[in-house]
Amino acid sequence: MDRTAQLTARRAERSVAYNPPPSAGSLHLRAAHVLEGNWTGTSTVPSPSLYPHQWSWDSAFIAIGLRHVSPLRAQTELETLLAAQWGDGRIPHIVFNPSVPLDAYFPSPDFWRSSTAGRAAGAPRTVQTSGIVQPPVHALAAWLVHCADPGLSRARGFLTRVHPRLAAWHRYLLHRRDLGGGGLASVVHPWEQGMDNSPCWDAPLSRVTPAPARSFRRADLDHGAAEDRPTDLDYGRYVRLATDYRDGQYADGGGEFAVEDPSFNALLIASEHALARIAHELGATGTARHARAERLTAALVERLWDPAEEMFFCRDVRGGDMIPERSVSGLIPLLLPGLPHGIAAALVRTARGPHFGLGSSTRLVPSFDLLGEAFDPHRYWRGPAWFNTSWLLERGLRLHGEQVRAEALRQAVLDTADATDFAEYVDPYTGEACGATGFSWTAALTLDLLHGPSGHSVPVTGIGTFDMSDKGGDRG
């Protein structure tokens, strides 16, 4: 029995890595119960009804929380995902469970046709996946999971096995996805960035002719209110983009939608730093990867920073212009250690200002500009607050010396997760639960924050791996 099962068993008499309070209703134990209930045997679903398969960046966040209760299960979570990696290096955004009925989720495996349409790109033949990707949090997650139990990790050869896959993943993004030519990775579908329905996509999506409504069935509306989900028009455009990408054999560079996003690239940079730590643990130098991360940080500032607005913005690669919509994505580069001090301070001012209201009108960070015309406190990624983005910003605040504000945000995440039964997302003003409850990354990141703040202070070496377990500094 692994540690998660021990925690949730009625008579858990011992604990190795984690000893929650004895109360059956404790937040620790309830979060562990969510992860136990959503575990399939090899991975964790985000939500059994709404999202019944394995999602890429969800699994990375889930592993970050699982490391506190079962480092073995956290390693398995990432290993299962990486086993579905394509030959060109991409990690697909969904790994499908063959036991789940096709009509339980759309787009389903028979839409993506990964093993046939993705053959030229090296899609696996025995596992069905989607053909697009999600934000690259994986190397960061792998490093934190290793730090939770280095002895177990070394005994199992965990980093030895995942390192080449993570390196291939980063090569894919840095080379195949540099569609703008400026060094940053582009997303080719709104679902890739993770903030699926953000108003940031409205302008570039307007060029896309939607798929006919009769050509697909929206399974998401079986589990969520239509007014909280993307519109049929937007969904038709998502389907058209995915169909064209599939019909083009998943080759990059030819689609109508290509956007450089600050959050996606910030997570790539943070994971480059983590991959340097992984390489060093395996006996190589991490110097080249740290240097690459610093070059990417400079490119991020050059291409996506607007000093007048004190905000990072998306860039429409096809149109060539910045997209003037304020999204939480534009705040997430705060987690980068190499960010110039003036920019970090400006991002804190923006987060606290009227557009996001952090610490005044809102306790968690809204996903979109409170003053924007497209703001909606309940509609998917057009205003609601999400727990993973608040977790990332809590890390960024702490990294850049904003300890009091970081602690306030940490406590707000814990209070809201507790009050909403680990909701998928919430109204940023009222904290009202939206979407699914018992959501896996909310439970996982709650566990992670329950082990802070002292257990999460950024190392004095300041490379942004978010964990004091890594005390050695950069010797590479």
Side-chain angles (χ1 to χ4, degrees):
M1 184 182 293
D2 71 18
R3 291 173 197 159
T4 307
Q6 287 175 357
L7 271 176
T8 57
R10 187 167 296 175
R11 294 184 61 194
E13 295 182 356
R14 65 186 183 88
S15 173
V16 180
Y18 176 52
N19 186 22
S23 169
S26 75
L27 187 59
H28 303 71
L29 200 56
R30 288 168 49 219
H33 268 297
V34 169
L35 297 180
E36 177 71 11
N38 293 350
W39 175 250
T40 69
T42 55
S43 65
T44 310
V45 299
S47 166
S49 58
L50 187 55
Y51 304 106
H53 302 285
Q54 183 178 25
W55 260 257
S56 173
W57 77 324
D58 290 74
S59 278
F61 288 121
I62 289 164
I64 288 169
L66 272 176
R67 68 190 172 120
H68 298 293
V69 296
S70 175
L72 176 59
R73 187 172 287 190
Q75 291 177 30
T76 302
E77 183 80 38
L78 295 174
E79 290 164 351
T80 300
L81 177 68
L82 291 172
Q85 186 174 27
W86 291 27
D88 64 3
R90 80 182 76 194
I91 297 173
H93 98 295
I94 302 174
V95 181
F96 290 106
N97 182 343
S99 67
V100 173
L102 288 178
D103 63 358
Y105 183 81
F106 179 84
S108 53
D110 57 343
F111 171 88
W112 295 104
R113 305 172 199 163
S114 61
S115 59
T116 53
R119 187 173 299 158
R125 297 195 177 190
T126 58
V127 179
Q128 294 297 312
T129 76
S130 65
I132 59 175
V133 303
Q134 274 192 322
V137 198
H138 312 88
L140 175 60
W143 177 246
L144 295 179
V145 167
H146 164 79
C147 290
D149 192 337
L152 175 67
S153 175
R154 290 167 187 146
R156 296 187 68 245
F158 171 64
L159 292 182
T160 301
R161 285 181 287 109
V162 302
H163 176 263
R165 291 184 176 272
L166 294 169
W169 169 222
H170 285 211
R171 281 196 302 272
Y172 168 77
L173 293 174
L174 292 167
H175 297 289
R176 303 285 185 94
R177 288 300 190 89
D178 183 10
L179 304 181
L184 300 181
S186 293
V187 295
V188 300
H189 194 291
W191 291 339
E192 292 198 311
Q193 191 267 359
M195 302 177 192
D196 306 7
N197 195 40
S198 171
C200 296
W201 318 137
D202 290 355
L205 275 178
S206 68
R207 297 190 295 263
V208 178
T209 301
R214 65 184 179 277
S215 66
F216 61 91
R217 175 187 172 274
R218 294 186 57 180
D220 64 315
L221 297 182
D222 294 341
H223 307 285
E227 60 269 21
D228 292 350
R229 305 292 298 175
T231 65
D232 286 342
L233 176 62
D234 284 336
Y235 212 93
R237 287 171 167 149
Y238 303 154
V239 172
R240 171 68 69 187
L241 281 174
T243 301
D244 290 349
Y245 194 39
R246 177 199 68 199
D247 293 348
Q249 311 299 303
Y250 296 111
D252 294 311
E256 296 178 87
F257 184 97
V259 173
E260 293 173 352
D261 173 77
S263 173
F264 191 99
N265 281 280
L267 291 169
L268 176 59
I269 294 165
S271 280
E272 272 289 301
H273 280 305
L275 202 53
R277 288 298 179 104
I278 291 171
H280 183 76
E281 165 68 19
L282 296 176
T285 175
T287 304
R289 288 205 178 274
H290 285 315
R292 181 181 294 118
E294 295 305 323
R295 290 195 300 271
L296 287 169
T297 302
L300 183 73
V301 171
E302 179 183 352
R303 291 184 65 80
L304 305 185
W305 175 248
D306 186 326
E309 299 295 337
E310 296 194 325
M311 187 84 189
F312 285 93
F313 291 99
C314 295
R315 180 179 293 277
D316 181 358
V317 173
R318 296 288 175 251
D321 297 325
M322 301 271 264
I323 299 170
E325 300 286 0
R326 293 178 177 85
S327 159
V328 67
S329 173
L331 301 176
I332 286 176
L334 187 64
L335 62 83
L336 297 177
L339 203 63
H341 175 74
I343 291 179
L347 285 176
V348 174
R349 287 195 296 272
T350 299
R352 297 179 59 233
H355 294 288
F356 293 93
L358 183 61
S360 54
S361 58
T362 66
R363 291 190 72 197
L364 302 188
V365 188
S367 53
F368 186 66
D369 183 359
L370 297 171
L371 305 180
E373 289 185 13
F375 173 80
D376 185 324
H378 284 189
R379 194 178 288 277
Y380 210 61
W381 290 109
R382 300 179 82 86
W386 292 70
F387 291 86
N388 64 330
T389 52
S390 286
W391 181 87
L392 289 166
L393 288 171
E394 195 269 356
R395 303 293 85 207
L397 288 168
R398 218 171 277 285
L399 170 67
H400 290 284
E402 296 282 348
Q403 304 300 327
V404 173
R405 293 190 176 100
E407 181 57 26
L409 181 54
R410 170 184 170 271
Q411 194 59 54
V413 170
L414 295 177
D415 291 346
T416 309
D418 189 7
T420 62
D421 193 22
F422 308 102
E424 183 181 359
Y425 54 99
V426 300
D427 182 310
Y429 288 122
T430 68
E432 176 190 348
C434 301
T437 54
F439 200 72
S440 288
W441 78 24
T442 305
L445 297 176
T446 295
L447 283 172
D448 195 60
L449 291 177
L450 284 169
H451 284 257
S454 60
H456 282 279
S457 300
V458 176
V460 292
T461 48
I463 68 138
T465 51
F466 313 145
D467 198 288
M468 281 299 289
S469 301
D470 176 26
K471 296 184 173 70
D474 177 23
R475 294 166 289 173

